[in-house]
């Protein structure tokens, strides 16, 4: 063990960072792959069918667990068709622009009190900045495809993201005011106490709006107008095939996981045990914090899938109305409420 | 400043919401539709012309393939026209069987419509729920005719055969475990009528289930209320029929206004809408699902109590029994004549219509006294509906066009014929 630690210490800084990045990316990518599998299974069972159950591993069927790997291999070997009228450079850059921020945002994400790649003070700001960058990929993809469906999808996406980015930003301002810090680790620490200390309770409207905006940000049902299967076919990525399409797909799912994880972090106390402050606390002391975080994240990830199986799609202008006329006013009002609670040291969150 | 121009968007024929092969040329101002121009003809198969070159009874199968989600209703329209031309009446039991299967077909069609309309508007789970129930009704088709869709079950003078006493069952095997087979066979132990009565008993609860997902769903209402409004006057002028007309508040239903088959004997209500929008048409169709269930229950009860012939005993029109042909020369000759030459109805022209799930489905036949129709004209309800596309879609947004296509219940088989 000591040898390992001294070997780690001896590695150059850059290599150490690289290894840490791999340690985050690899599980993330596997999660993304199996999230697609989970989605098909969960929605399948909600729709009285089985979901994928044919592709197994090593000759065993294993409930179709080999499906994501088979899908990935298939997509990798497919031809990347570039439409003749497309702007080739932008067409190929767009998926990269989409996925880069979706992955980079994880840099400041604390998985546990000490487990974070870059513990920067402006963590929240960094995440906000990066998640809003993702939309450029969508817009560029829509424009570069030189297709009317794709362009419509891109326009819808651009308008939608502006509206929901603001609502989301305001919701985060509430968290910021409550915690008094932009550092994600400190935001979690500020929620310490018990299940009732977590910010979901004092910031309930912001919590709901944050998550709903998150669903809208990731273009998921019922806000999937940018893709709009039955209206504009596949929206911005209608012309993409093979790996370029897969990259959009990966980015979407990585973003969903990110939004879920951030919701868990900022409103459900991150890695804090839900039994904190109760007699049960010592019983569950052995559970590593990261497990709680994963569990909470999973709840939100499941909600994404549940929404998709349940709701019809909003129309484009209705989404706008919901964003501008409902969410943004509510967040503004609640920021004031949070501010008042904070100033008056409302028990038991802020005293 | 540069001039802003509208642009045209080709919606279909390869489009997930085009319901087959609708090609819609949309002139759009941003997301708003300025003009919608439906192009038809991509599924034209020349059914009417084909019918001119075949004896009357050989075209019944083509009728199944017109509106391929309400098969037996189309057959009914055609068969009724022939019966009118020949001046014959099917036996009463056949009339009840036809009524029952017309309503089974209506449920089949409306379930298909509900599923696809919901998936167009984005609620994809509905689709699979609807198809679950469709499967049982397809089994009814299969039990009487041997085919799940294109039944060719109605014949001039009655129906092909009586209802089976034994509902076909699942066998356990590689793809169906013992437990599965048992579960699936639960309702199949008895006759077809037992199976249908079991379906009728549980179907209303399933309709409630569909309604919990959609009827009070805010998003569903936002997407359908006030979309594609047609006033009652305009609906009449445009030649609407079926739920499209009733959704606008016109209580016109051939089953009530010009009763045929056994509709005079059964008790049912005609739901109508008030606003003539997509939501009203949705409510009308959902209520029709319930009313159809009522009719099926009544027919099943009658059929259980009243056995009898299902085909007229005139071998110039209906084929003789197989056993009779073995030792009866006359029966053999009848059989040969019927399946080669057919029959020659008197000269004249007839129009007979039925209330198909989508609206008035009628057949107009001109006979010159030969064994083939001189001319067959099919009046398909969908054609009048799609003609109103521009009027209904103008001023709405792109997403609404999809809802409007859905609410029209378009099937290209009957529009292009």
């Amino acid at each position: 063990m000591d040898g390992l630690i001294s070997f780690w210490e001896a590695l150059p800084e850059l290599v150490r960072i690289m290894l840490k990045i791999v340690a985050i990316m690899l599980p993330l990518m596997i999660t993304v792959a199996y999230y697609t599998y989970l989605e098909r299974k969960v929605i399948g069972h909600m729709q009285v069918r089985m979901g994928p159950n044919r592709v197994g591993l090593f000759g065993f069927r294993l409930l179709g667990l080999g499906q994501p790997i088979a899908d990935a291999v298939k997509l990798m070997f497919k031809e990347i068709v570039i439409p003749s009228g497309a702007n080739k450079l932008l067409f190929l850059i767009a998926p990269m622009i989409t996925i880069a921020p979706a992955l980079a945002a994880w840099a400041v994400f604390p998985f546990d009190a000490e487990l974070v790649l870059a513990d920067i003070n402006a963590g929240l700001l960094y995440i906000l900045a990066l998640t809003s960058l993702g939309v450029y990929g969508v817009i560029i993809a829509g424009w570069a495809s030189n297709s009317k469906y794709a362009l419509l999808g891109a326009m819808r996406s651009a308008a939608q993201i502006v509206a929901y980015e603001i609502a989301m930003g305001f919701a985060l301002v509430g968290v910021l005011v409550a915690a008094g810090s932009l550092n994600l680790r400190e935001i979690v620490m500020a929620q310490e106490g018990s299940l009732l200390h977590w910010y979901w309770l004092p910031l309930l409207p912001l919590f709901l709006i944050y998550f709903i905006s998150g669903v809208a940000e990731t273009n998921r049902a019922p806000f999937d107008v940018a893709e709009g299967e039955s209206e504009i076919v596949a929206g911005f990525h209608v012309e993409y095939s093979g790996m370029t399409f897969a990259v959009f797909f990966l980015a979407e799912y990585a973003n969903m996981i990110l939004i879920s994880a951030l919701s868990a972090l900022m409103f459900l106390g991150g890695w804090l045990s839900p039994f904190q402050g109760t007699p049960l606390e010592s019983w569950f002391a052995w559970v590593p914090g990261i497990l709680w975080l994963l569990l909470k994240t999973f709840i939100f990830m499941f909600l994404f899938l549940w929404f998709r199986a349940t709701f019809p799609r909003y129309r484009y202008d209705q989404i706008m109305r919901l964003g501008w006329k409902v969410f943004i006013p509510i967040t503004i009002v609640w920021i004031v409420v949070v501010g008042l609670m904070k100033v008056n040291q409302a028990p038991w969150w802020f005293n | 400043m540069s001039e802003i121009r509208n642009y045209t968007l080709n919606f279909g024929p390869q489009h997930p919401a085009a319901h087959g092969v609708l090609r819609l040329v949309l002139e759009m101002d941003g997301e708003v539709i300025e003009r919608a121009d439906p192009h038809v003809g991509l599924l034209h198969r020349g059914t009417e012309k084909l019918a001119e070159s075949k004896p009357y009874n050989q075209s019944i199968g083509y009728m199944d393939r017109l509106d391929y989600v309400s098969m037996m209703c189309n057959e009914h329209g055609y068969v009724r026209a022939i019966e009118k031309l020949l001046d014959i009446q099917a036996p009463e039991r056949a009339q009840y069987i036809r009524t029952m299967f017309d309503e089974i077909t209506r449920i089949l069609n409306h379930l298909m419509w509900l599923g696809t309309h919901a998936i167009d508007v984005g609620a994809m789970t509905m689709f699979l729920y609807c198809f679950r129930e469709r499967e049982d009704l397809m089994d009814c088709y299969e039990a009487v005719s041997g085919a799940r869709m294109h039944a060719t079950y109605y014949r001039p003078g009655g129906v092909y055969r009586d209802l089976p006493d034994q509902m076909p069952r699942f066998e356990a095997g590689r793809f169906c475990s013992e437990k599965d087979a048992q579960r699936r066979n639960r309702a199949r132990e008895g006759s077809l009528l037992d199976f249908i009565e079991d379906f009728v008993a549980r179907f209303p609860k399933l309709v409630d289930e569909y309604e919990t997902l959609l009827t009070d769903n805010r998003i569903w209402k936002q997407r359908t209320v006030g979309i594609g409004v047609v006033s009652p006057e305009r609906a009449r002028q445009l030649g609407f029929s079926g739920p499209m007309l009733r959704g606008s508040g016109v209580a016109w239903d051939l089953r009530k206004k010009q009763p045929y088959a056994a509709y005079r004997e059964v008790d049912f209500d005609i739901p109508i809408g008030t606003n003539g929008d997509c939501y009203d048409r949705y409510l009308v169709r959902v209520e029709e699902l319930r009313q159809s269930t009522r009719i099926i229950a009544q027919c099943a009860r009658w059929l259980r109590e009243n056995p009898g012939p299902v085909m007229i005993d005139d071998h110039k029109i209906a084929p003789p029994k197989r056993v009779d042909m073995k030792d009866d020369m006359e029966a053999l000759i009848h059989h040969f004549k019927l399946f080669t030459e057919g029959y020659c109805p008197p000269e004249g022209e007839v129009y007979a219509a039925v209330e198909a799930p989508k609206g008035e489905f009628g057949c107009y036949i001109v006979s010159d006294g030969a064994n083939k129709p001189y001319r067959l004209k099919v009046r398909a309800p969908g054609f009048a509906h799609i003609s109103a596309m521009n009027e209904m879609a103008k001023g709405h947004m792109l997403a609404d066009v999809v809802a409007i296509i859905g609410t029209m219940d378009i099937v290209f088989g009957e529009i292009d014929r």
Side-chain angles (χ1 to χ4, degrees), chain A residues 153 156-157 160-161 164 208-228 231 236 304 307-308 311-316 318-323 327, chain B residues 121-122 219 222:
Chain A
R156 287 175 172 198
S157 181
Q160 178 187 339
I161 292 211
Y164 282 84
L208 297 178
I209 287 174
Y210 176 77
F211 187 63
I212 296 171
S213 305
V215 177
E217 278 265 300
T218 46
N219 285 330
R220 292 291 298 184
F223 303 101
D224 54 345
V225 288
E227 266 176 56
E231 295 149 26
F236 62 93
F304 269 101
F307 289 165
R308 178 156 177 221
F311 292 123
R313 185 181 303 111
Y314 269 109
R315 203 173 60 203
Y316 161 71
Q318 289 162 350
I319 286 194
M320 291 293 122
R321 197 174 59 205
L322 186 71
F327 284 178
Chain B
V121 178
I219 305 178
Q222 283 183 28

Side-chain angles (χ1 to χ4, degrees), chain A residues 333-348:
Chain A
V333 168
W334 208 258
I335 287 171
V336 175
V337 173
V338 173
L340 289 174
M341 284 203 285
K342 183 89 179 171
V343 170
N344 297 317
Q345 305 217 323
W348 53 89

Side-chain angles (χ1 to χ4, degrees), chain A residues 168 210-211 214-215 218 255-264 304:
Chain A
M168 205 170 180
Y210 176 77
F211 187 63
V215 177
T218 46
N255 269 326
M256 281 157 69
I257 297 171
L258 182 69
I259 296 285
S260 306
L262 285 173
S263 308
F304 269 101

Side-chain angles (χ1 to χ4, degrees), chain A residues 43 46-49 148-149 152 156 229-233 308-309 311-318, chain B residues 7-11 15-17 31 120-122 124-125 128-129 217 222-223 227 397-400 402:
Chain A
I43 294 183
M46 285 178 180
Q47 297 174 339
V48 287
R49 55 192 176 89
K148 284 169 181 170
Y149 288 121
L152 269 177
R156 287 175 172 198
E229 169 74 26
S230 60
E231 295 149 26
I232 48 173
V233 195
R308 178 156 177 221
F311 292 123
R313 185 181 303 111
Y314 269 109
R315 203 173 60 203
Y316 161 71
D317 60 319
Q318 289 162 350
Chain B
Y7 69 101
T8 49
L9 183 76
N10 242 327
F11 186 100
H15 188 284
E31 283 255 345
D120 283 348
V121 178
M124 68 166 173
T125 305
L128 288 124
Y129 286 172
N217 186 320
Q222 283 183 28
R223 286 298 306 276
I227 306 299
M397 301 183 88
L398 179 58
D400 297 328
V402 177

